[in-house]
Amino acid sequence: MTYDLAIGDRTYSSWSLRGWLFFEKFGLPVKVHTARLYTDEVKTLLQGFAPARLVPAMKTPEGEVVGESIAILETLAERHPRAGHWPADPAARAMARYLVAEMHAGFRDLRSDCPMNLAKSFAGRPVSDAVRADLARLEDIWSRARARFGANGPWLFGTYSGADAFFAPVAARIATYDLPVGPEAAAYVAAHLADPTFRRWRAMGLAQNFEQPSYIPYYGKVERPWPGPAPRTATLADGRSENAACPYSGKPVSHFLQMDGRIWGFCNAFCRDKTLHDPEAFPAFMAMVARA
């Protein structure tokens, strides 16, 4: 019983990231359909997800379409109550829903002044008073949730929930623009950047290699390395690989990379390139390497 999910650019579409995390972090099968933002591709894609107007949009296995991230989250939580989208504790669940709703409707200055860009990170960007106020509010609500419910883990309510998925793009914004937050909030941001699922999404965006020129005015003064974990080094390669079948599709290999002096094959350029950008983020690839 597979869902369908329409998304935009992985590097830039914050709402698409949320929608994808609702599936990937909670073990739900989904077929992803991608269109490049600010092009007619999005309109064409969404013709198959009517009446949704924006990405992400979900289609259930029965063919029902659900748009808007908060509605997708609630629908999946209702259909899969054991998946863990919401905390089990009623008080924690109430607070998680509250934080999700505030994120869905709020933090407009942070979102408009600092659009998500997972390809780059900058220092020296001026921060307005309005953005500082949004950051202070984030620090307050994150601290309250973690102090009350998240003491045993890096996430807001202990284990990863839909609330963490909702705040993942905010963590990315703080990382991209080196925004000023205290140690506790910085640790929460670091947990997102280190999360293998988030790293897979980012690697796939880098593999898409889309550039949105409209984002250039938002950049800071000095580009700096991405503040998340440094990926394991891999390079493009030619020649015979140790594997005959792609670790993701099982199809014959035609595109290759080298890691630690060994050559591995993939069925297409995207499978190769996403792995190239962060090999350890892809369990199927690392499992193949360990077996060989």
Side-chain angles (χ1 to χ4, degrees):
M1 297 287 284
T2 300
Y3 292 82
D4 289 276
L5 181 70
I7 64 169
D9 299 11
R10 291 180 173 91
T11 297
Y12 304 101
S13 182
S14 59
W15 293 105
S16 294
L17 169 57
R18 292 180 176 101
W20 182 79
L21 287 171
F22 300 156
F23 292 91
E24 191 74 7
K25 286 295 294 183
F26 301 97
L28 302 182
V30 64
K31 181 178 181 180
V32 175
H33 308 264
T34 307
R36 190 167 185 179
L37 295 175
Y38 315 120
T39 71
D40 289 340
E41 291 181 18
V42 175
K43 181 179 179 180
T44 300
L45 173 61
L46 289 178
Q47 288 175 357
F49 290 82
R53 296 170 50 249
L54 301 169
V55 292
M58 175 188 78
K59 187 182 294 181
T60 70
E62 297 80 18
E64 295 295 330
V65 171
V66 182
E68 294 293 339
S69 298
I70 198 167
I72 294 172
L73 173 57
E74 287 287 13
T75 301
L76 291 176
E78 181 181 66
R79 290 170 62 96
H80 304 277
R82 296 183 180 180
H85 289 91
W86 293 122
D89 178 77
R93 189 162 61 249
M95 188 176 189
R97 281 195 166 104
Y98 167 34
L99 298 193
V100 164
E102 181 168 347
M103 181 65 253
H104 192 270
F107 304 100
R108 296 183 182 275
D109 292 293
L110 173 60
R111 288 156 57 183
S112 62
D113 285 11
C114 303
M116 191 178 83
N117 181 353
L118 298 182
K120 301 179 183 293
S121 183
F122 297 89
R125 174 175 170 76
V127 182
S128 70
D129 289 342
V131 170
R132 289 182 186 275
D134 278 349
L135 293 171
R137 175 60 180 170
L138 285 169
E139 291 196 77
D140 181 31
I141 60 178
W142 289 352
S143 178
R144 289 174 181 272
R146 294 183 70 187
R148 188 175 175 192
F149 301 108
N152 296 323
W155 307 114
L156 295 177
F157 298 92
T159 58
Y160 194 100
S161 73
D164 297 299
F166 249 82
F167 286 111
V170 173
R173 286 172 161 92
I174 292 171
T176 292
Y177 299 100
D178 193 24
L179 298 177
V181 295
E184 185 179 5
Y188 181 60
V189 170
H192 281 284
L193 301 189
D195 179 57
T197 310
F198 180 94
R199 289 172 62 177
R200 282 197 294 279
W201 174 272
R202 181 171 182 267
M204 288 188 284
L206 294 173
Q208 283 180 310
N209 196 29
F210 292 160
E211 179 72 28
Q212 292 290 355
S214 62
Y215 280 60
I216 292 175
Y218 297 98
Y219 296 163
K221 293 182 179 180
V222 179
E223 187 167 357
R224 64 176 191 150
W226 180 253
R232 192 165 173 174
T233 300
T235 58
L236 296 175
D238 295 314
R240 180 176 296 179
S241 61
E242 296 189 27
N243 60 307
C246 177
Y248 309 121
S249 69
K251 297 178 180 179
V253 300
S254 55
H255 294 70
F256 307 94
L257 65 76
Q258 179 176 279
M259 187 180 75
D260 299 335
R262 303 168 72 184
I263 296 177
W264 305 99
F266 305 85
C267 66
N268 58 49
F270 182 72
C271 284
R272 176 199 63 195
D273 292 348
K274 71 181 185 182
T275 312
L276 183 76
H277 284 291
D278 197 345
E280 291 176 314
F282 294 92
F285 171 70
M286 294 305 297
M288 178 184 70
V289 170
R291 289 194 303 269

